């Protein structure tokens, strides 16, 4: 039986992780203009059991500890598909969105109280064309595709965080949207696309859940994506529905795959090879995460 799915103490691994994570986070050096643009990130964000996976949380923390601490974070999550473009509520301590069910109540009680992000909201809105206004949502908080990985990546919760909705799954349009956001990186804002490199929930099996067995559709898709990303082959990545092995099981819906086009667009040159920060599998799903170079 997987301890990730059936922990003795729900989110107990996070409780164990937090003291050292906070110590390291307090020592992180702040970004300055001399650092140059921050990379753009694509993170496989997992689900609430991420808080029961100590090694994965440490991978996420190690990744961001190798970067200067950003001044702000803008994140596009698989879990907010909305057009026209919308921004989450920027007020400090806006309640989180607990957009999941079937887990222990502890996971709906965690908090990630970030500072006011109004300045970032105004900046993002100003970057969009006049014929594509941005809706400022007055109440919507961060969903689990945002707050869950950020709890491990930036555990102090002292960085303004704003979420931007994903208005389409068209790769070309998402690359264009990412390119509009690219100047934020030069200002110390970290741009993140949050999904999951494979996300075939409908095809999950008992062996995946309890033994961590990796099905061929998951490993084949992950290998294909890793190769295309390493070559900067955006055309191949954009044709994932027709060319990627493991389909349609790896992504029966596009929402967890397409945030990577935001990342590639925001990176400045979508055809530049990326650097993998995290690979491997959890419950049979590929947790590949990367940053632009």
């Amino acid at each position: 039986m997987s301890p990730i799915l059936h922990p003795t103490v729900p989110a107990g691994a996070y409780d164990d992780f937090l003291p050292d994570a906070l110590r390291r986070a307090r020592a992180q050096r702040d970004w300055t203009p001399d650092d140059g643009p921050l990379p753009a990130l694509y993170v496989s964000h997992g689900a609430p059991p991420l808080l029961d996976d100590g090694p994965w949380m440490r991978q996420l923390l190690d990744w961001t500890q190798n970067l200067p601490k950003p001044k702000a974070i803008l994140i596009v999550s698989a879990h907010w598909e909305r057009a026209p473009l919308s921004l989450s509520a920027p007020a400090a301590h806006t309640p989180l969105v607990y957009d999941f069910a079937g887990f222990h109540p502890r996971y709906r009680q965690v908090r990630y109280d970030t500072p006011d992000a109004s300045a970032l909201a105004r900046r993002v809105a100003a970057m969009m064309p006049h014929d594509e206004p941005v809706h400022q949502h007055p109440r919507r908080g961060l969903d689990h595709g945002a707050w869950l990985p950020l709890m491990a990546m930036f555990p102090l919760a002292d960085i303004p965080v704003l979420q931007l909705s994903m208005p389409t799954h068209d790769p070309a349009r998402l690359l264009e949207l990412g390119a509009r956001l690219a100047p934020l990186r030069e200002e110390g804002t970290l741009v993140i696309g949050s999904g999951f490199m494979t996300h075939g929930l409908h095809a999950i099996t008992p062996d995946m859940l309890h033994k961590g067995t990796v099905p061929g559709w998951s490993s084949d898709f992950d290998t294909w994506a890793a190769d295309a990303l390493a070559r900067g082959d955006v055309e191949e990545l954009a044709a994932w529905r027709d060319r990627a092995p493991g389909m349609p099981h790896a992504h029966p819906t596009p929402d967890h795959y397409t945030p990577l086009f935001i990342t590639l667009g925001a990176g400045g040159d979508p055809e530049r090879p990326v650097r993998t920060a995290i690979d491997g599998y959890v419950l049979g799903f590929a947790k590949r995460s990367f940053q632009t170079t």
Side-chain angles (χ1 to χ4, degrees), residues 13-205:
Y14 188 74
D15 295 336
D16 294 339
F17 160 85
L18 197 55
D20 185 60
L22 291 174
R23 178 190 62 79
R24 294 179 62 189
R26 291 188 185 103
Q28 187 175 17
R29 180 179 63 81
D30 291 340
W31 177 89
T32 71
D34 290 340
D35 290 310
L38 287 167
L41 312 187
Y42 171 84
V43 59
S44 290
H45 62 241
L50 169 61
L51 301 181
D52 301 306
D53 192 332
W56 192 4
M57 287 188 287
R58 286 190 292 274
Q59 286 179 315
L60 289 165
L61 179 66
D62 289 345
W63 183 11
T64 52
Q65 285 294 298
N66 286 320
L67 302 173
K69 182 178 179 177
K71 296 173 69 67
I73 298 170
L74 180 69
I75 189 164
V76 178
S77 158
H79 295 282
W80 195 17
E81 303 169 83
R82 176 170 176 162
L85 277 173
S86 300
L87 291 169
S88 62
H93 312 305
T94 296
L96 301 177
V97 178
Y98 301 101
D99 50 339
F100 47 78
F103 294 100
H104 190 278
R106 168 81 193 275
Y107 304 107
R108 301 181 67 88
Q109 297 165 358
V110 298
R111 300 291 299 270
Y112 192 69
D113 291 329
T114 52
D116 184 90
S118 296
L120 179 60
R122 291 190 294 269
R123 178 75 178 101
V124 172
M127 300 174 81
M128 298 300 124
H130 294 298
D131 60 352
E132 194 172 343
V134 177
H135 172 67
Q136 178 64 72
H137 203 290
R139 292 179 300 277
R140 190 191 193 278
L142 306 176
D143 62 46
H144 84 266
W147 60 260
L148 187 60
L150 292 178
M151 285 180 67
M153 299 167 86
F154 299 101
L156 289 170
D158 61 347
I159 302 171
V161 179
L162 196 67
Q163 190 168 341
L164 179 66
S165 70
M166 189 159 56
T168 179
H169 292 296
D170 178 71
R173 290 180 60 195
L174 291 176
L175 286 167
E176 180 184 1
L177 176 58
R180 292 181 195 163
L181 301 173
L184 293 172
R185 297 170 39 240
E186 300 174 4
E187 303 164 12
T189 294
L190 190 65
V191 179
I192 302 177
S194 177
F196 216 142
M197 190 54 75
T198 58
H199 195 248
L201 290 177
H202 74 298
I204 203 165
T205 66

Side-chain angles (χ1 to χ4, degrees), residues 247-259:
M247 290 295 295
H249 298 305
H251 286 287
T253 58
D255 46 14
H256 282 70
Y257 175 73
T258 51

